[in-house]
Amino acid sequence: MTGSSINNIRHQAVLELINSGIAKNEASIEANILVECVFGLSKKDMLINPKQKVPENLEKKFKELVQKRINEKIPVQYLVNKAFFMGYEFYVDENVLIPRPETEILVEEVIKLIKASKKKNLTIIDIGTGSGCIACMLAKNLYNKCHPEFISGSNNYNITASDISKKALDIAKFNAQKLNIADKIEFQRSDILKDIDETFNFIISNPPYIPLKDRESLQIEVSGHEPHLALFVDDEKGISFYKELIRQSKEKLNSAGYLAVEIGISQSHYISELLQEAGFVDIQIIKDFSDIDRVIIARK
């Protein structure tokens, strides 16, 4: 049996999402994501035929997801098991962080450094890979036919993705398979670099950097659903993971190798000091779209 028109269903969902406290623009985006997931209709489809009727069983499923979003504050990406990063679709669930646009800056800056490198064989590791978005996008770019210098045969890349969570690693592997690059990445379970024997030219990480004391000030969508292991650290400034990563990187980075990390708000000063104390040089701080210090890169 057919139910209401897609236009009415979507409009009602947007109103309910807004009334629950979600910003108007976000509510519209989230409604579109749910419409595409449940009905298989894109934004373009809705514009072409806004009055088309949808099956009642799917309408019911759609409304249940909207209520789940409102009542349980589950991020829409977890409801549909889908998030986008650098234009590609990734599977996500509550075992991995939802990829953020800010992390794309980290990947783009590392790609610039790799392109500029004169070394023919480069080893790269993504620490705390989560969904695998960083490692996968590095592989996608480095083996992309749009960049013939990367696949000419004169350059060879060994990319490793590591995580302490087995569930996260399984998701990262699944995403690499979806993107047809599973053969370009080695997956290893490790607590930072403790279980890794190799050395690297590039060590990359988007680590946990939110102080545990700030947990209550976060949106419930983040604190209540995203994995705490990937979010929180228990020191006052949120830099304990960086301290250990920098210490271990000194041993695992090849000569003139690079450490590149995403950082939280107001952490650039502390992390720059840690890098200087450890003997790193050429420290660069890159800002995000909101003019906030977001990425730090340093050379051994």
Side-chain angles (χ1 to χ4, degrees), residues 70-272:
I70 290 168
N71 297 330
E72 299 178 43
K73 304 299 181 187
I74 299 172
V76 70
Q77 293 90 341
Y78 290 152
L79 287 175
V80 302
N81 296 123
K82 185 191 300 184
F84 287 88
F85 186 77
M86 296 184 77
Y88 287 88
E89 183 182 308
F90 284 80
Y91 174 91
V92 294
D93 64 22
E94 294 192 1
N95 291 295
V96 297
L97 288 182
I98 298 165
R100 263 70 170 186
E102 291 80 6
T103 307
E104 296 182 9
I105 299 167
L106 174 62
V107 177
E108 288 162 358
E109 291 298 323
V110 169
I111 288 170
K112 286 178 194 174
L113 285 173
I114 292 171
K115 284 181 73 171
S117 175
K118 293 184 170 64
K119 295 184 189 300
K120 292 188 176 180
N121 295 294
L122 292 174
T123 50
I124 305 157
I125 186 167
D126 170 27
I127 304 288
T129 195
S131 66
C133 62
I134 292 174
C136 287
M137 285 301 95
L138 287 172
K140 266 290 183 188
N141 278 274
L142 298 180
Y143 290 96
N144 189 335
K145 290 179 182 177
C146 294
H147 302 288
E149 68 271 28
F150 293 150
I151 59 169
S152 63
S154 60
N155 291 76
N156 183 48
Y157 307 102
N158 293 303
I159 302 171
T160 301
S162 75
D163 205 292
I164 194 171
S165 164
K166 182 183 181 299
K167 288 180 179 178
L169 271 183
D170 288 341
I171 290 169
K173 288 176 188 175
F174 177 77
N175 282 322
Q177 288 164 355
K178 268 183 65 176
L179 295 167
N180 297 314
I181 47 167
D183 61 329
K184 304 288 191 275
I185 304 171
E186 181 183 348
F187 295 90
Q188 285 190 240
R189 193 174 179 188
S190 179
D191 181 1
I192 309 183
L193 289 155
K194 289 177 183 175
D195 305 302
I196 307 287
D197 296 326
E198 301 91 331
T199 58
F200 300 91
N201 300 107
F202 290 88
I203 294 176
I204 306 152
S205 185
N206 176 19
Y209 55 66
I210 302 173
L212 197 55
K213 66 180 177 63
D214 293 345
R215 178 179 163 185
E216 298 305 317
S217 65
L218 297 173
Q219 287 182 304
I220 189 65
E221 284 88 343
V222 177
S223 62
H225 296 282
E226 298 202 58
H228 287 191
L229 190 65
L231 286 172
F232 298 111
V233 284
D234 58 7
D235 66 292
E236 189 77 13
K237 297 171 185 170
I239 59 173
S240 56
F241 193 103
Y242 295 103
K243 282 183 179 178
E244 190 57 27
L245 177 62
I246 290 167
R247 187 188 69 77
Q248 292 183 31
S249 293
K250 284 294 287 183
E251 299 173 11
K252 297 292 184 179
L253 266 178
N254 295 332
S255 177
Y258 287 91
L259 174 61
V261 294
E262 182 173 325
I263 60 172
I265 295 172
S266 305
Q267 290 179 327
S268 59
H269 173 70
Y270 302 118
I271 296 161
S272 295

Side-chain angles (χ1 to χ4, degrees), residues 8-18 27 31 62 66 70:
N8 287 344
I9 292 167
R10 183 195 172 278
H11 179 69
Q12 184 61 35
V14 171
L15 289 178
E16 289 178 15
L17 291 168
I18 291 170
F62 177 83
V66 171
I70 290 168

